Amino acid sequence: MQQATTLPAIRNPSSPGQDSPWHDVMPLADLADAAPRRMQVGDRSFLVVRQGEQVRAFAATCPHKGAPLEQGTLCAGKLVCPWHKAVFDLNDGGLIEPLALDPLPRYPTRLVDGRIQIQPVALPLPAPVPTGADQGVVIVGAGAAGVTAAVSLREFGFAGRITLIGDETAPPYDRTALTKTVLAEKEEGNRAPPLRPAGFYETHGIDRVVARVTAFDPATRTVELSDGRKLTGDHVVLAPGAAPRMLDVPGHDLPDVFTLRSQADAQAILATRNITDRHVVVCGGSFIGMEAAASLSQAGAKVTVVSATAVPFEKALGHEIGLRLRRLHQEKGVTYIGGHRVTAIAERGGKRQVTLDNGRILLADMVVAGLGVRPATGFVPALATAPDGGIDVDGAMQAAPHVYAVGDIARFVHQGRRMRIEHWRTAQIHGHVAARAIMKQPGRFEEIPWFWTLQFGRKLEYVGYQEPFDRVTIDGDLDAFNFMATQWNGARRVGVITAGRPRETGELVLRRTL
């Protein structure tokens, strides 16, 4: 990246009503087409993008997590964040696809004597025409999909009532941080970052209801709550997410035996004991389990993973990548016991005695289960008729008239078969699509799923529908985590895994195809 320099301001008294100075940043001839540059103006950074003879300036970092956007991908008038694949419109900075929930600020630019100048006053996006003031939307679930649906409705101009129901007292938060940073004690107060800033829901007229949903009638669109209340919406968005699979062994309910799905779960794990030098047994080699193992190890714990699979992630990522991740954990001090299961947990001298199916006994200070999840659809049996507990939807995420199912529970059609994807970004895009459908705007779920895992500072990204594959080809350096791996089913490419290749991954996300 080019070294940023601070440049002088140029006043432009001929622009009426514009009191902010213009800043000379660079010659137009020095800015290549579709090659974004970060420029420093005082203490602020801007992203300058040229498309032909047109130049635009934006905030230099993604509004989601502050990713450096000069490392992002540009294609067909769109910019993809290098970290979490939010997509922005290069015409006005508008948000096209999450993970971000805010547009990218755009700033005035002009050309004077062949030089680019920026005025550091953000341009407003056009306000939508308010509609639907006499209607109400009830959203069941305050996670990624539910919050995105609520935020998108207001973004698109919905002026009616929005009720967001969640069973956690904490404001909606980034659940992906629980295993990646919270358990590593890298978040202030061991709390996951909120999805929206303080006061957002009140300011935008979104009524947060803290309660558990016990029943839903699709015919009347009536939601029953655990406190006896009943809420009915003109539209209902079902976004309850998933519930963790529990350890089904004797002793699963002992103290210091945890599941990990909520912020309260993560805080309970960290609050129970001083993690440093404590022995933690993680049951399960899922992404949740292995991310938790990495984070707890980074926080100072001695971690043993017990997994039914000899090689972690072999089914999802392939044998070689699974071996590399297993070796990464072992290099960092994690013990991996593959091909075995926990059969019982007991108390022994203040420790947890963990018995494996081969008779081996492990003594631990705590046990954490990372066995995957299942759709949390027990309250809506009329729609959750699939064997996996999911709900069938069409391309607009509609499951019944004026009823939408989004996120982990939604079974959409791909290649002629129904599937569910339990990814954070997919859930957010589902919420975005459902909001458009409620507003009678065009849009269907056509995105290619993407997710990422972070373990010991190594980030892997996956693009695809988790289809079966029969071989994996790897281009690059697997040991150094700088590669692009392709999953094949016969002659068809069905998945791509990358490490250290954010631009290539961004291109796949933009193309929506492998």
Side-chain angles (χ1 to χ4, degrees):
M1 184 180 71
Q2 180 173 338
Q3 184 72 30
T5 56
T6 302
L7 297 155
I10 301 174
R11 293 279 174 184
N12 183 24
S14 64
S15 298
Q18 296 291 331
D19 296 329
S20 180
W22 288 87
H23 295 260
D24 185 281
V25 293
M26 66 186 301
L28 176 64
D30 288 354
L31 183 62
D33 196 53
R37 291 272 293 274
R38 175 186 284 249
M39 302 299 297
Q40 196 78 13
V41 175
D43 59 354
R44 299 174 65 181
S45 297
F46 297 88
L47 188 77
V48 186
V49 181
R50 177 177 181 178
Q51 294 179 291
E53 295 304 306
Q54 190 175 69
V55 177
R56 285 191 167 87
F58 302 91
T61 57
C62 180
H64 174 226
K65 294 284 187 179
L69 292 177
E70 72 276 9
Q71 299 176 16
T73 304
L74 271 71
C75 184
K78 298 175 184 178
L79 171 66
V80 182
C81 168
W83 288 0
H84 302 109
K85 306 304 176 279
V87 182
F88 302 98
D89 190 332
L90 284 176
N91 289 314
D92 57 10
L95 177 67
I96 298 175
E97 294 173 5
L99 284 167
L101 294 174
D102 297 296
L104 182 64
R106 183 167 77 90
Y107 298 87
T109 58
R110 68 180 186 182
L111 295 176
V112 177
D113 297 330
R115 298 187 64 84
I116 302 168
Q117 296 180 1
I118 297 175
Q119 191 177 47
V121 179
L123 294 164
L125 283 169
V129 177
T131 59
D134 59 342
Q135 296 188 348
V137 176
V138 175
I139 302 173
V140 177
V147 169
T148 302
V151 172
S152 299
L153 283 167
R154 289 295 186 233
E155 175 194 347
F156 300 152
F158 182 73
R161 304 177 309 282
I162 299 177
T163 303
L164 182 66
I165 305 169
D167 59 3
E168 296 184 61
T169 56
Y173 55 85
D174 181 354
R175 196 178 302 276
T176 66
L178 297 178
T179 53
K180 293 177 173 68
T181 55
V182 173
L183 287 186
E185 298 185 320
K186 294 180 179 179
E187 297 288 352
E188 184 177 353
N190 293 330
R191 295 180 178 275
L195 292 179
R196 295 281 77 197
F200 175 88
Y201 302 99
E202 295 82 1
T203 301
H204 291 80
I206 299 171
D207 182 21
R208 283 188 60 226
V209 173
V210 179
R212 181 172 57 86
V213 174
T214 58
F216 172 64
D217 180 3
T220 62
R221 298 189 295 280
T222 299
V223 176
E224 296 186 25
L225 305 181
S226 53
D227 59 13
R229 282 182 291 172
K230 294 184 178 182
L231 303 174
T232 301
D234 296 285
H235 309 274
V236 175
V237 179
L238 303 177
R245 296 187 183 277
M246 310 299 289
L247 269 173
D248 187 18
V249 301
H252 71 274
D253 54 352
L254 285 171
D256 297 334
V257 179
F258 301 95
T259 55
L260 179 57
R261 180 64 179 174
S262 68
Q263 183 162 268
D265 294 336
Q267 290 180 324
I269 290 169
L270 294 173
T272 301
R273 300 175 184 270
N274 180 358
I275 289 295
T276 304
D277 293 329
R278 297 292 182 176
H279 185 201
V280 180
V281 170
V282 175
C283 303
S286 66
F287 284 101
I288 290 175
M290 295 299 281
E291 288 182 358
S295 290
L296 289 168
S297 177
Q298 288 175 292
K302 298 176 180 178
V303 180
T304 298
V305 174
V306 179
S307 173
T309 58
V311 177
F313 315 120
E314 185 169 22
K315 185 177 180 180
L317 304 179
H319 185 75
E320 290 183 82
I321 296 174
L323 280 178
R324 182 64 187 97
L325 286 170
R326 187 181 71 179
R327 182 157 56 90
L328 172 66
H329 278 255
Q330 292 168 334
E331 290 167 350
K332 299 296 185 180
V334 173
T335 299
Y336 186 89
I337 301 175
H340 294 285
R341 300 177 186 272
V342 172
T343 58
I345 303 171
E347 185 170 356
R348 177 178 169 184
K351 300 278 189 177
R352 296 294 156 260
Q353 177 178 290
V354 181
T355 302
L356 308 189
D357 55 8
N358 62 352
R360 182 177 177 180
I361 291 176
L362 307 174
L363 291 181
D365 295 291
M366 71 174 68
V367 178
V368 177
L371 302 174
V373 297
R374 53 180 173 75
T377 52
F379 67 95
V380 58
L383 294 179
T385 56
D388 66 355
I391 297 176
D392 291 354
V393 297
D394 63 15
M397 311 312 299
Q398 187 167 238
H402 305 289
V403 177
Y404 303 84
V406 295
D408 295 351
I409 68 171
R411 285 168 40 95
F412 58 89
V413 176
H414 171 68
Q415 295 286 328
R417 67 184 182 96
R418 293 274 178 188
M419 63 171 54
R420 293 187 306 105
I421 297 290
E422 297 169 355
H423 298 166
W424 187 260
R425 184 176 188 269
T426 299
Q428 286 192 296
I429 292 175
H430 284 177
H432 205 64
V433 171
R436 287 201 180 279
I438 290 170
M439 296 295 291
K440 296 183 172 57
Q441 296 181 3
R444 298 176 67 81
F445 178 66
E446 298 172 334
E447 320 311 314
I448 190 165
W450 166 90
F451 83 91
W452 83 106
T453 183
L454 184 68
Q455 300 175 38
F456 291 109
R458 299 295 193 174
K459 180 180 180 180
L460 267 66
E461 303 182 73
Y462 172 89
V463 183
Y465 288 88
Q466 298 179 339
E467 296 180 77
F469 57 93
D470 51 37
R471 61 191 173 96
V472 179
T473 57
I474 299 174
D475 176 26
D477 190 339
L478 185 62
D479 283 343
F481 286 91
N482 184 357
F483 64 86
M484 174 177 282
T486 302
Q487 297 174 332
W488 301 88
N489 189 340
R492 189 165 69 92
R493 190 156 81 155
V494 296
V496 173
I497 305 113
T498 65
R501 306 285 182 91
R503 282 201 171 93
E504 290 95 325
T505 313
E507 289 172 3
L508 294 174
V509 170
L510 273 181
R511 290 206 313 257
R512 300 180 177 180
T513 180
L514 298 174

